[in-house]
Amino acid sequence: MRKRIATIVCVLHLSISAVTMAAKDVTRPVITVDATGPMRPVSPEMYGIFFEEINHAGDGGLYAELVQNRDMEASAIPEGWRAEGDQVFTPKGWRTRKWFQDDLPGWSFLAEGGAEGSMAIDANHPLNDRNPHSLRLTVTKMGSRCGLVNSGYWGINVQAGEWYDAAFYAKTEGSKGVGLVFSLENEAGDKVCARATIPEIGRGEFGPPQPGAANAPAQWRKYTLGLHANASDPKCRLVITPIEPVTMWLDVVSLFPRKTFKDRPNGMRRDVAQLLADMKPGFLRFPGGCIVEGVTLHNRIRWKDSIGDISQRKGDFDLWGYYNTYGLGYHEYLQLAEDLGAEAMYVVNVGMSCQGRCPEIASGADLQFYVQDTLDALEYALGPATSEWGAKRAANGRPEPFKLKYVEIGNENHGPNYERHYKVFYDAIKAKYPQAITIADTRMPQMPVEIVDDHYYVDPARFFSMANHYDNADRNGPSIYVGEYAVNRGVGTGNLLGALAETVFMLNMERNGDIVLMCSYAPLFENVNQRDWPVNLILMDGSRCVGRSSYQAQKVFASNRPDVVLQTQVQAPEVKLAGIGIVRRLYALAGLDARAGEVIVKVVNPTPSEVPATISLKGLSKLGDKAKVVTLAHANANAENTMDNPNVVVPVESEMRVPAAEFAATFRANSLTVLRLSAAVERR
Ligand code: AHR
């Protein structure tokens, strides 16, 4: 019998046997699960996601737009700010690196075979007051080809067989009619993956120049065209060339893959959004983060500038160091939450800009402006199509209200100003939307606080030391949402050890599911071409995306979330982990998935050696004799998934026999293991 089991061990990396074989080993960890003891609920929304425009998470990431700086506004410095050298200063003197190198980031002028002409940003021919800059292209000598190149966000991913939809606004000098060629070509320019021509722009219904102004441009007009790819290249560029000399203006030049997540127009990249869907998120927190606060109050996320036709949106400098088009806006977030089957959680500016940067505090009538802004946002999401903002939602294609369950009042705000503002926002929100569940940034014993948002960015040692953090949390205080957490110190750009430390902390949150209702890792995304934050959950470039080990751990937890946790005792000796400190050899938690009729045991072994242990299940009947096993492990704690090696640390499924209610199992070095076996709670 023992011999046979030893064979299984080799295959499954998880051994089982009659427990008696190791009964005398006092250092052997014992995990005792007692279903006769009190149980605590775990919210179905426990594991969610937090999206913020950081590391090009949206523009150049999740948001499927392929053209960089489509609105020609990426070099616009906000009103009142000033640039000096490579720095930009806000009116109050907060400074940042100038986020653009030239007037038209993403765009360059193309002149081949003796062509002559120029390209320039132009503030004299605004498309509308929200898009004051356009691109003027002048071609004086055709040569072999002359026009514009857009680099996309570090290249445009083009796949053979797929369609790409371009849309743009243009006008020509003197209403001259001219054909335009759009092509998607590789970087070297020697492979054309897709090409399409618009026979004529500029002339037509918007007609002749004004009398007495022979060279005056005609009016702006929108054009669309589809490009079908017959070759693939992940790093194409978009080339736009007129077929004869012309002076023309372009603005809001957009290119989307026809296939987006759930086929939404102005939608999300399918591959990236699918990674989110695979996390089975209970909620989606948006749109930030610090960008909700802004470096000035005007620089906060202005949701009203992020809705409607993309030509009417007014982007802004994103305090993480680049221009945010607002293409992925308030409506899209609400839609995405719905498409992911997640509850929407909207974070609102509370009349305070980022306190860690350069705080501005609104007061009096100004504060009312921010309160009203929030109420309008809620009306946009929840109001009937007959209401002012509900009507705008309907005009944007969504007559019926969205679901918006949670409203977070501020992000990481604190102090007396916050407390005062919080109360004003809380009262206003609850008066009009009593069903909205509010979240506060800090504990305020004198205030009505439903849920408080805790944030942790730590090193591995800290999360190991927080294995019991919420055990004694005040059950009479507010519920807890851990809105941002990650190991982002001492782990380079992320590694398995960091992920395992996070799982130890997650076991603690799950064990205290009666008070810790929700949690979300942060930040969610990193475009590997621009990292603004040291460690992020999902890495991507224009054509690929990969979940780090922490992503895999998140997925394993969300897919194995119990409805209730069972009393779980772990007797495990402590060991010293090099470079970290003292950890336990095993951490564990068991729970019940009532619908599946299964007991779920999650076990973390953060040590570099395998750990044989005993599991004892009490108070459970109808125990299955087999367990499904999911193991996330690697022999090297520094292992990590990368763009080129995405499957270094991924969950592996197997099966093991469970001979009795007490059984032996060996947990791999550096591992998270989940055992699921059918079980019912014995009648009490
Ligand atoms: O997740 C990155 C940042 O960390 C968030 O913007 C902010 O809330 C926190 O400080």
Side-chain angles (χ1 to χ4, degrees):
M1 166 74 175
R2 273 198 202 164
K3 223 175 181 178
R4 224 183 95 221
I5 288 165
T7 320
I8 296 171
V9 172
C10 295
V11 179
L12 301 181
H13 300 284
L14 189 77
S15 71
I16 57 163
S17 68
V19 76
T20 46
M21 74 186 205
K24 288 185 199 105
D25 180 0
V26 287
T27 63
R28 181 185 176 92
V30 179
I31 300 167
T32 308
V33 178
D34 186 356
T36 65
M39 299 176 190
R40 283 177 177 166
V42 179
S43 162
E45 290 153 27
M46 182 73 180
Y47 299 108
I49 51 182
F50 163 44
F51 179 91
E52 176 172 29
E53 182 60 83
I54 180 173
N55 310 303
H56 278 274
D59 284 344
L62 174 65
Y63 182 48
E65 174 63 77
L66 295 166
V67 173
Q68 188 196 152
N69 188 19
R70 68 181 176 198
D71 59 8
M72 320 300 171
E73 302 296 337
S75 64
I77 296 179
E79 212 180 297
W81 296 28
R82 72 186 163 85
E84 215 178 281
D86 64 351
Q87 303 277 297
V88 174
F89 296 78
T90 66
K92 279 191 159 182
W94 183 83
R95 70 162 82 178
T96 188
R97 181 185 57 86
K98 200 165 89 180
W99 57 93
F100 51 90
Q101 311 300 320
D102 54 58
D103 287 344
L104 285 165
W107 294 95
S108 54
F109 178 67
L110 175 84
E112 290 175 351
E116 286 174 17
S118 62
M119 162 193 105
I121 194 163
D122 194 334
N124 295 320
H125 300 282
L127 174 64
N128 55 50
D129 61 355
R130 313 175 75 73
N131 269 294
H133 298 96
S134 58
L135 185 158
R136 186 182 64 240
L137 171 69
T138 301
V139 177
T140 49
K141 190 169 160 208
M142 282 306 294
S144 53
R145 194 163 73 143
C146 192
L148 302 168
V149 174
N150 188 277
S151 62
Y153 291 96
W154 302 281
I156 294 175
N157 178 32
V158 177
Q159 293 303 313
E162 299 300 332
W163 280 93
Y164 296 85
D165 291 316
F168 63 99
Y169 290 79
K171 63 180 183 176
T172 56
E173 192 173 51
S175 291
K176 177 186 165 62
V178 68
L180 268 193
V181 181
F182 275 59
S183 63
L184 289 163
E185 339 183 322
N186 69 347
E187 249 173 337
D190 55 13
K191 179 165 85 172
V192 176
C193 296
R195 176 178 282 153
T197 303
I198 284 215
E200 187 173 64
I201 63 152
R203 198 165 21 213
E205 67 210 72
F206 294 101
Q210 299 299 306
N215 287 328
Q219 293 179 44
W220 287 100
R221 188 174 174 195
K222 185 177 179 183
Y223 300 89
T224 58
L225 80 164
L227 291 96
H228 187 251
N230 52 22
S232 301
D233 193 291
K235 285 195 165 199
C236 277
R237 53 190 196 151
L238 171 65
V239 179
I240 305 173
T241 47
I243 60 172
E244 56 185 291
V246 69
T247 291
M248 58 179 288
W249 289 260
L250 286 165
D251 206 350
V252 191
V253 182
S254 169
L255 181 75
F256 271 80
R258 190 163 291 174
K259 288 185 185 154
T260 57
F261 186 59
K262 306 268 179 192
D263 291 322
R264 298 282 173 208
N266 196 41
M268 309 301 135
R269 246 172 79 175
R270 274 195 181 176
D271 56 342
V272 179
Q274 190 55 50
L275 281 185
L276 299 184
D278 293 346
M279 291 174 78
K280 304 188 198 318
F283 62 89
L284 169 66
R285 178 183 186 233
F286 62 87
C290 294
I291 68 167
V292 165
E293 304 161 87
V295 290
T296 63
L297 268 171
H298 186 265
N299 182 239
R300 76 195 188 282
I301 289 283
R302 299 180 308 276
W303 73 271
K304 288 176 183 169
D305 286 337
S306 78
I307 55 170
D309 187 88
I310 59 169
S311 68
Q312 296 297 325
R313 299 192 187 195
K314 190 169 175 53
D316 200 356
F317 163 67
D318 179 300
L319 55 71
W320 295 115
Y322 55 94
Y323 175 69
N324 176 356
T325 64
Y326 279 11
L328 171 45
Y330 185 56
H331 189 105
E332 286 78 23
Y333 290 123
L334 292 164
Q335 185 63 67
L336 178 63
E338 183 175 290
D339 288 346
L340 292 171
E343 299 291 352
M345 181 191 292
Y346 177 48
V347 187
V348 307
N349 181 294
V350 68
M352 300 171 76
S353 68
C354 181
Q355 289 173 274
R357 290 180 168 84
C358 186
E360 282 179 3
I361 315 288
S363 59
D366 280 355
L367 182 60
Q368 273 317 309
F369 167 85
Y370 296 97
V371 173
Q372 191 56 47
D373 200 52
T374 290
L375 294 179
D376 293 345
L378 300 190
E379 186 173 283
Y380 185 95
L382 301 168
T386 48
S387 62
E388 182 189 350
W389 288 96
K392 293 190 200 299
R393 181 195 65 235
N396 291 335
R398 173 70 184 221
E400 69 278 13
F402 283 110
K403 272 176 76 194
L404 174 53
K405 185 167 177 180
Y406 298 102
V407 181
E408 180 162 358
I409 303 175
N411 173 68
E412 290 191 345
N413 295 124
H414 51 86
N417 287 317
Y418 175 64
E419 299 201 7
R420 210 178 51 249
H421 289 203
Y422 170 85
K423 183 65 169 51
V424 177
F425 273 72
Y426 177 89
D427 289 345
I429 293 167
K430 284 292 182 184
K432 198 154 180 217
Y433 299 98
Q435 77 278 22
I437 301 174
T438 58
I439 300 172
D441 294 348
T442 53
R443 286 166 178 75
M444 296 173 282
Q446 312 311 323
M447 297 281 172
V449 174
E450 298 176 274
I451 302 177
V452 66
D453 179 1
D454 287 347
H455 293 180
Y456 304 98
Y457 294 106
V458 300
D459 59 21
R462 178 89 195 284
F463 270 162
F464 288 124
S465 74
M466 289 171 75
N468 295 90
H469 185 70
Y470 285 118
D471 292 359
N472 298 318
D474 178 6
R475 262 51 188 180
N476 299 313
S479 298
I480 295 163
Y481 161 46
V482 179
E484 299 180 29
Y485 69 96
V487 170
N488 71 354
R489 286 160 210 184
V491 291
T493 53
N495 64 26
L496 176 59
L497 181 66
L500 294 176
E502 286 153 8
T503 61
V504 168
F505 180 59
M506 289 163 82
L507 289 180
N508 182 252
M509 290 194 280
E510 197 171 283
R511 183 164 64 247
N512 292 286
D514 60 318
I515 186 127
V516 182
L517 302 186
M518 296 173 288
C519 62
S520 43
Y521 182 102
L524 186 59
F525 286 122
E526 169 189 320
N527 184 315
V528 292
N529 294 290
Q530 183 173 330
R531 182 188 304 127
D532 307 314
W533 192 263
V535 180
N536 306 288
L537 195 65
I538 294 172
L539 311 177
M540 59 195 166
D541 60 15
S543 59
R544 304 171 293 174
C545 53
V546 53
R548 279 189 38 252
S549 53
S550 295
Y551 168 86
Q552 299 298 349
Q554 293 282 325
K555 222 169 80 173
V556 169
F557 265 66
S559 310
N560 293 286
R561 179 192 55 77
D563 306 304
V564 290
V565 289
L566 303 174
Q567 293 289 299
T568 310
Q569 271 203 350
V570 185
Q571 285 165 262
E574 292 181 335
V575 289
K576 191 153 191 251
L577 212 55
I580 302 294
I582 301 295
V583 298
R584 276 184 244 147
R585 290 183 77 192
L586 287 185
Y587 300 81
L589 182 67
L592 275 178
D593 178 339
R595 213 168 43 174
E598 288 177 343
V599 63
I600 303 171
V601 187
K602 298 195 189 78
V603 183
V604 180
N605 170 11
T607 73
S609 324
E610 63 173 25
V611 175
T614 299
I615 299 180
S616 172
L617 304 175
K618 299 198 165 119
L620 291 166
S621 60
K622 299 186 187 154
L623 269 184
D625 60 0
K626 275 195 292 235
K628 285 177 255 170
V629 183
V630 178
T631 311
L632 186 69
H634 198 281
N636 182 354
N638 293 321
E640 188 52 284
N641 302 323
T642 63
M643 298 299 283
D644 295 327
N645 287 309
N647 298 318
V648 176
V649 187
V650 288
V652 174
E653 290 185 23
S654 58
E655 213 176 63
M656 67 177 275
R657 257 183 13 89
V658 176
E662 188 161 292
F663 58 98
T666 295
F667 296 96
R668 283 184 59 181
N670 311 312
S671 66
L672 161 67
T673 304
V674 178
L675 310 179
R676 292 186 75 115
L677 62 154
S678 43
V681 178
E682 277 171 3
R683 273 177 200 281
R684 296 165 182 232

